[in-house]
Amino acid sequence: MQERVLKVLEFHKVREQLLEHVSSSLGKRKAEDLMPSADFEEVVLWQEETDEAAKVLRIKGNVPLGGIYDIRPHVKRSVIGGMLSPQELTQISSTIHASRQIKRFIEDFAADNSHLPILLNYTEQIIVLAELETSIRNAIDENGEVLDSASETLRSLRNQLRTKESRVRERLESMIRSSNAQKMLSDAIITIRNDRFVIPVKQEYKGHYGGIIHDQSSSGQTLFIEPQSIVQLNNELQEIRVKEQQEVERILIELSGRVAEHSEELEIIVAVLGQIDFMFAKARYSKRIKASKPNVNNEGRISLFKARHPLIPADVVVANDVTLGSDYSTIVITGPNTGGKTVTLKTVGLCTLMAQAGLQIPALDGSETAVFGAVYADIGDEQSIEQSLSTFSSHMVNIVDILNNVDYDSLVLFDELGSGTDPQEGSALAISILDEVYKRGARVIATTHYPELKAYGYNREGVINASVEFDIETLSPTYKLLIGVPGRSNAFEISKRLGLNDDVIMSARSYISADSNKVEEMIASLEESKRLAEAEREETNDLLKNAEKLHKDLQKQMIEFYDQKDVLHEKAADKAAEIINEAKAEAETIIRDLRKMRIEKHAEVKEHELIEAKRRLEEAVPKINKSKKPAKPGAAKRIFKPGDEVKVISFGQKGHLIEKTSDHEWQVQMGIMKMKVAEKDLEFIKSPKQVETRPLATVKGRDFHVNLELDLRGERFENALLRVEKYIDDALLANYPRVSVIHGKGTGVLRQGVQEYLRNHRAVKKIRFGEAGEGGSGVTIVEFK
């Protein structure tokens, strides 16, 4: 990509915003070097990386990426035999610890939630160097100080050092507390000069203590003297300090050698952590600008839904739909200045560059971008005083460069094409340039205020007009892009709204040709039709989405109903069989007692009477058919007609006949389900009555549909409880026996709060966690009374 194009489309500002979301210098370097790629496979991989990181952030909210340093210079010095400082070793230990944390975090997340092939591939490359980390942490504290516990020798030397220092201090304390000390000392304190303990002595008493003078005050009135009586003790102290320093250096050299042994593993850890940090920086940036993953193609198709310019504040930016590369390859946006044409142009260009750099784009899910070999842009006033170039000349320099390089694999953006010169010549030149770029097969978006180009889209195949809507009532642009509608002049309407005399306006209109007036009227009609069509399309989409959701929920409810019905039917059958078996056992006992009585007491009970009684008992056992119920006599003989209300015997459900599919089979509509049913399995109920139809606009109830699930993942705690409260009320009004609340696992705070609220709700019978197939502990199943 040309650096000039990246600058014109302000890609560098996107990089600056991305830098705010990195966690380490490693990620910062990658963000600073971010550039769009023209390799389709590479762009697909980058988009998958960002999407995986965004998936983790959506569920977890944050990722442990603290304590990461660029330790590559330290590792390199250790390899060539250098001794690392305690601070450098601490950074290496911290980076190893961070690698262990992120490795465990990603693996645990993938096990509990979903498959993360790219992140898992990176974490598999991380070699856990826990032993090296422990060795460094046991020897050096977080402030970079070598600990006494680093070695037994160092512990012994530091104990000796503390003992010697105590003896020196005791000797000097006795000196400064003596009766003559107040007169001979400038101050009764012990201080240090040149790593040796000294006392401040007045100039005139310097011979009293003897010893060595190490320093004097700025006035020369005070000398810092090491008394002769402690010279030997200070010498012994200094000797121990030298040994201590030698032992510290030995420890640091040993640890540096161990770092060098693992140099390759540490290099891999740094590379992987830098990549992971960069991935999550892109994901955090996506969250900030409310972006989504685009579908990427290499066929030149662009379909952006509600696309927003990422550098314009969210409270003022206007979202637009832009499609290019399918039915048409060129869009010509006409209309007056300050209407938002250039912003639309930059939005498409910047979204394309972002997608090719692996960033998600500020548009709705389902948006699509192409991977272009090159993006060219001629945008803005690039007049150069130094080069003595006019506005027109500077534009032509860029356009000549574009025409020398453009091909079928290019996206070209022209802003105010042909401007800066005579209108007739400029519009003719613009048409010629557009024709040439179109012949090359490139995808083109051009803006212009020349009226001659309004007819261009009608006369060329593969070209479509567009404009930016202008609100006459408020005298301001709405910045909404209208594809298929050319821009029109609003000068007369604006002048009238601002109070210009009607006679002046009518006089001005007389100077406009009849053809121009007809064109303006046609454009106004197109704008109105487009606006109405957009409103109807949005309403239709909402209806379709609600209908699809309702269809899925009803299917789920019906499946649950039939499952529950079968379970209850089987339980009833089992219970009946159990009762019958108990009755038969009781009857057997009675008969056995009767036989015994007949034998013992010679009662007049005949054997054949006992057998007959037993047979009657067995015949009393009901035969339960679990699959279908018997049809009423003569039901199958009826001649059915489409529209008849029938009962499907095997299901026990009512439905309506749609059509006969064969001699003995009908297609039946049961609720939202259609199925083929044998005629013998049908029972007639009634014929259809003439029902007065109502227009679609009178149908009510679609806004009152309640889902069977409430998804709270990503919600703040307070908002989540408010949503639960409303949802439970709606579910009770819908007469649902059971619903599911999805809160995720996370830290457990949201789950505990939701369950505490549900336990105390008057209409809740009981709650439980979901089974393995229902979402486990990330879902709470609520049953109502």
Side-chain angles (χ1 to χ4, degrees):
M1 298 292 172
Q2 295 179 345
E3 188 61 36
R4 187 187 65 81
V5 174
L6 297 178
K7 183 178 180 181
V8 165
L9 293 176
E10 300 178 290
F11 184 74
H12 63 287
K13 292 185 179 179
V14 171
R15 277 195 301 233
E16 289 171 4
Q17 290 184 346
L18 180 62
L19 285 171
E20 299 173 12
H21 301 279
V22 298
S23 299
S24 69
S25 60
L26 300 172
K28 179 182 179 183
R29 188 165 302 156
K30 282 189 169 291
E32 290 173 339
D33 297 338
L34 179 65
M35 290 287 286
S37 171
D39 186 326
F40 177 73
E41 299 297 332
E42 189 172 45
V43 171
V44 171
L45 175 62
W46 288 354
Q47 286 291 343
E48 291 294 335
E49 288 181 349
T50 308
D51 190 50
E52 280 194 14
K55 184 189 300 182
V56 175
L57 281 183
R58 273 197 306 272
I59 298 175
K60 288 295 186 180
N62 204 357
V63 181
L65 283 171
I68 299 174
Y69 297 92
D70 186 1
I71 59 173
R72 287 173 293 190
H74 313 338
V75 175
K76 193 172 292 185
R77 282 205 305 113
S78 72
V79 170
I80 62 176
M83 183 186 76
L84 302 181
S85 69
Q87 290 77 14
E88 291 171 334
L89 288 167
T90 301
Q91 289 182 359
I92 291 173
S93 171
S94 176
T95 303
I96 295 172
H97 179 70
S99 72
R100 287 198 301 108
Q101 276 194 313
I102 192 65
K103 181 181 177 74
R104 184 170 59 249
F105 176 85
I106 296 298
E107 289 174 349
D108 290 348
F109 180 89
D112 292 341
N113 295 276
S114 59
H115 189 44
L116 303 173
I118 298 174
L119 282 170
L120 284 175
N121 179 54
Y122 281 131
T123 55
E124 284 172 2
Q125 299 176 42
I126 295 177
I127 300 166
V128 178
L129 300 176
E131 187 177 345
L132 176 59
E133 178 194 348
T134 303
S135 298
I136 295 174
R137 287 185 181 275
N138 288 341
I140 304 171
D141 65 15
E142 294 178 354
N143 299 319
E145 297 293 332
V146 179
L147 299 169
D148 294 358
S149 58
S151 74
E152 287 299 324
T153 301
L154 184 61
R155 187 194 304 275
S156 174
L157 288 171
R158 286 185 173 172
N159 286 336
Q160 294 178 39
L161 200 61
R162 285 188 281 269
T163 302
K164 289 289 183 184
E165 285 181 353
S166 296
R167 290 181 59 189
V168 171
R169 285 184 176 277
E170 286 175 5
R171 188 75 60 87
L172 290 175
E173 288 282 351
S174 65
M175 289 183 183
I176 64 177
R177 286 199 301 268
S178 65
S179 57
N180 297 327
Q182 188 173 2
K183 179 178 67 173
M184 292 184 289
L185 298 180
S186 299
D187 200 354
I189 60 171
I190 300 169
T191 186
I192 295 175
R193 291 291 187 276
N194 300 326
D195 290 334
R196 300 177 78 87
F197 287 98
V198 297
I199 54 177
V201 180
K202 293 178 181 178
Q203 172 72 29
E204 57 269 28
Y205 297 108
K206 63 180 180 180
H208 179 78
Y209 292 99
I212 304 168
I213 300 174
H214 287 279
D215 197 4
Q216 69 178 13
S217 65
S218 57
S219 65
Q221 296 301 311
T222 301
L223 302 176
F224 294 94
I225 297 176
E226 178 185 357
Q228 185 64 42
S229 59
I230 66 162
V231 168
Q232 183 57 33
L233 289 175
N234 266 335
N235 287 342
E236 293 173 1
L237 198 59
Q238 191 64 24
E239 184 179 351
I240 297 172
R241 286 200 184 104
V242 170
K243 290 180 180 179
E244 179 207 16
Q245 185 60 34
Q246 290 174 344
E247 179 62 16
V248 168
E249 289 180 0
R250 185 195 68 77
I251 293 168
L252 295 178
I253 290 172
E254 181 182 337
L255 291 173
S256 301
R258 297 189 64 180
V259 169
E261 292 174 5
H262 297 286
S263 59
E264 293 183 5
E265 294 96 325
L266 290 170
E267 290 280 355
I268 293 172
I269 286 174
V270 169
V272 170
L273 289 179
Q275 185 61 33
I276 291 176
D277 183 16
F278 179 53
M279 286 171 60
F280 281 101
K282 292 190 293 181
R284 291 190 193 96
Y285 180 57
S286 297
K287 186 176 181 181
R288 168 182 164 179
I289 63 173
K290 297 180 180 178
S292 65
K293 176 190 174 186
N295 298 319
V296 181
N297 68 78
N298 57 357
E299 299 168 358
R301 291 192 313 277
I302 297 176
S303 296
L304 303 178
F305 304 120
K306 302 299 180 186
R308 296 164 279 109
H309 195 290
L311 304 179
I312 299 177
D315 56 341
V316 296
V317 69
V318 175
N320 276 308
D321 296 345
V322 183
T323 57
L324 180 68
S326 295
D327 298 330
Y328 44 86
S329 61
T330 301
I331 299 177
V332 179
I333 307 175
T334 54
N337 293 330
T338 70
K341 301 192 302 295
T342 303
V343 171
T344 301
L345 206 66
K346 286 187 173 183
T347 299
V348 175
L350 190 53
C351 283
T352 299
L353 294 179
M354 290 173 65
Q356 292 188 215
L359 297 172
Q360 296 185 345
I361 61 174
L364 295 183
D365 286 334
S367 296
E368 187 173 18
T369 60
V371 177
F372 294 101
V375 176
Y376 300 103
D378 178 52
I379 298 175
D381 186 356
E382 298 184 26
Q383 181 175 355
S384 174
I385 297 175
E386 293 82 358
Q387 297 180 18
S388 300
L389 294 176
S390 67
T391 300
F392 176 75
S393 299
S394 64
H395 278 296
M396 286 312 301
V397 169
N398 294 335
I399 291 171
V400 168
D401 179 61
I402 291 171
L403 292 178
N404 287 337
N405 296 283
V406 70
D407 59 14
Y408 71 94
D409 196 24
S410 303
L411 172 65
V412 185
L413 307 172
F414 291 122
D415 187 30
E416 297 297 348
L417 185 60
S419 63
T421 186
D422 177 76
Q424 286 187 339
E425 292 182 357
S427 59
L429 198 57
I431 291 172
S432 179
I433 291 170
L434 287 175
D435 282 342
E436 179 62 25
V437 178
Y438 176 78
K439 290 176 187 176
R440 305 276 187 93
R443 304 296 185 263
V444 185
I445 303 180
T447 69
T448 180
H449 59 272
Y450 288 141
E452 289 81 0
L453 267 74
K454 294 177 183 178
Y456 183 80
Y458 295 108
N459 299 332
R460 302 293 196 281
E461 184 181 354
V463 181
I464 193 168
N465 280 320
S467 61
V468 181
E469 188 178 55
F470 189 90
D471 190 342
I472 298 298
E473 297 298 322
T474 61
L475 301 181
S476 61
T478 65
Y479 304 106
K480 186 171 181 60
L481 185 68
L482 302 175
I483 299 288
V485 179
R488 66 188 180 101
S489 172
N490 297 293
F492 293 151
E493 288 84 354
I494 294 173
S495 300
K496 185 175 182 180
R497 293 278 299 174
L498 292 176
L500 188 64
N501 189 286
D502 287 344
D503 293 337
V504 176
I505 294 174
M506 291 300 295
S507 176
R509 287 187 185 277
S510 68
Y511 294 112
I512 303 297
S513 67
D515 290 341
S516 296
N517 281 326
K518 287 181 180 178
V519 169
E520 290 297 321
E521 290 172 4
M522 178 193 71
I523 292 173
S525 175
L526 281 173
E527 285 183 353
E528 182 63 24
S529 299
K530 181 78 172 179
R531 194 159 38 243
L532 291 174
E534 286 289 332
E536 290 177 0
R537 184 174 68 84
E538 289 182 5
E539 184 178 356
T540 303
N541 285 339
D542 289 342
L543 284 168
L544 180 60
K545 288 179 182 177
N546 284 327
E548 288 176 348
K549 184 66 177 175
L550 180 60
H551 182 270
K552 290 179 181 177
D553 285 348
L554 288 175
Q555 277 186 324
K556 184 176 180 181
Q557 290 181 24
M558 183 165 282
I559 291 170
E560 288 183 353
F561 169 76
Y562 284 125
D563 289 343
Q564 186 70 8
K565 175 188 170 185
D566 291 341
V567 170
L568 292 174
H569 193 269
E570 290 178 7
K571 285 183 178 178
D574 292 341
K575 185 67 175 176
E578 182 182 345
I579 294 171
I580 291 168
N581 288 333
E582 290 177 357
K584 286 174 69 176
E586 181 66 21
E588 288 284 357
T589 303
I590 293 170
I591 292 172
R592 192 162 48 248
D593 291 343
L594 287 172
R595 283 201 183 101
K596 185 177 180 182
M597 188 186 303
R598 180 171 62 86
I599 294 170
E600 292 178 353
K601 300 184 178 180
H602 305 287
E604 292 297 327
V605 182
K606 306 295 184 181
E607 182 66 27
H608 72 277
E609 293 175 343
L610 294 175
I611 295 172
E612 177 63 21
K614 183 178 180 182
R615 184 184 65 77
R616 289 201 309 272
L617 283 170
E618 289 176 348
E619 288 179 351
V621 177
K623 299 296 188 291
I624 299 172
N625 189 338
K626 296 183 181 181
S627 59
K628 64 172 68 176
K629 296 179 182 178
K632 292 181 181 179
K637 295 179 181 179
R638 179 179 178 84
I639 299 175
F640 293 107
K641 295 179 182 179
D644 284 352
E645 185 176 352
V646 296
K647 182 177 183 180
V648 180
I649 299 169
S650 57
F651 285 97
Q653 295 295 310
K654 294 181 181 179
H656 290 84
L657 298 181
I658 299 176
E659 61 179 353
K660 196 168 187 178
T661 57
S662 66
D663 291 342
H664 304 289
E665 193 175 58
W666 284 83
Q667 187 178 39
V668 183
Q669 176 88 43
M670 291 189 294
I672 62 171
M673 299 178 64
K674 293 181 181 179
M675 61 173 58
K676 293 179 180 180
V677 181
E679 197 171 79
K680 63 181 180 180
D681 197 18
L682 300 175
E683 179 182 318
F684 175 78
I685 298 178
K686 62 182 178 179
S687 295
K689 294 181 180 179
Q690 190 68 27
V691 180
E692 181 184 355
T693 59
R694 294 189 296 170
L696 180 61
T698 64
V699 177
K700 297 181 179 180
R702 66 179 178 88
D703 293 333
F704 299 93
H705 169 64
V706 183
N707 295 335
L708 288 170
E709 295 177 345
L710 173 64
D711 193 342
L712 299 175
R713 288 175 294 185
E715 285 281 358
R716 295 174 62 87
F717 183 79
E718 296 81 3
N719 293 341
L721 289 185
L722 290 174
R723 288 190 62 194
V724 171
E725 183 178 0
K726 183 180 183 305
Y727 176 70
I728 295 300
D729 291 343
D730 293 343
L732 289 170
L733 288 174
N735 205 25
Y736 287 169
R738 182 181 65 181
V739 293
S740 302
V741 179
I742 304 172
H743 43 63
K745 297 176 182 177
T747 60
V749 175
L750 180 58
R751 177 182 61 207
Q752 292 173 5
V754 168
Q755 291 188 346
E756 182 65 25
Y757 172 79
L758 292 172
R759 286 192 190 96
N760 296 324
H761 198 285
R762 55 182 174 74
V764 174
K765 180 180 180 182
K766 71 172 184 177
I767 62 172
R768 62 174 176 84
F769 283 125
E771 301 293 341
E774 296 174 320
S777 59
V779 176
T780 295
I781 307 299
V782 186
E783 293 185 12
F784 298 117
K785 296 178 180 176

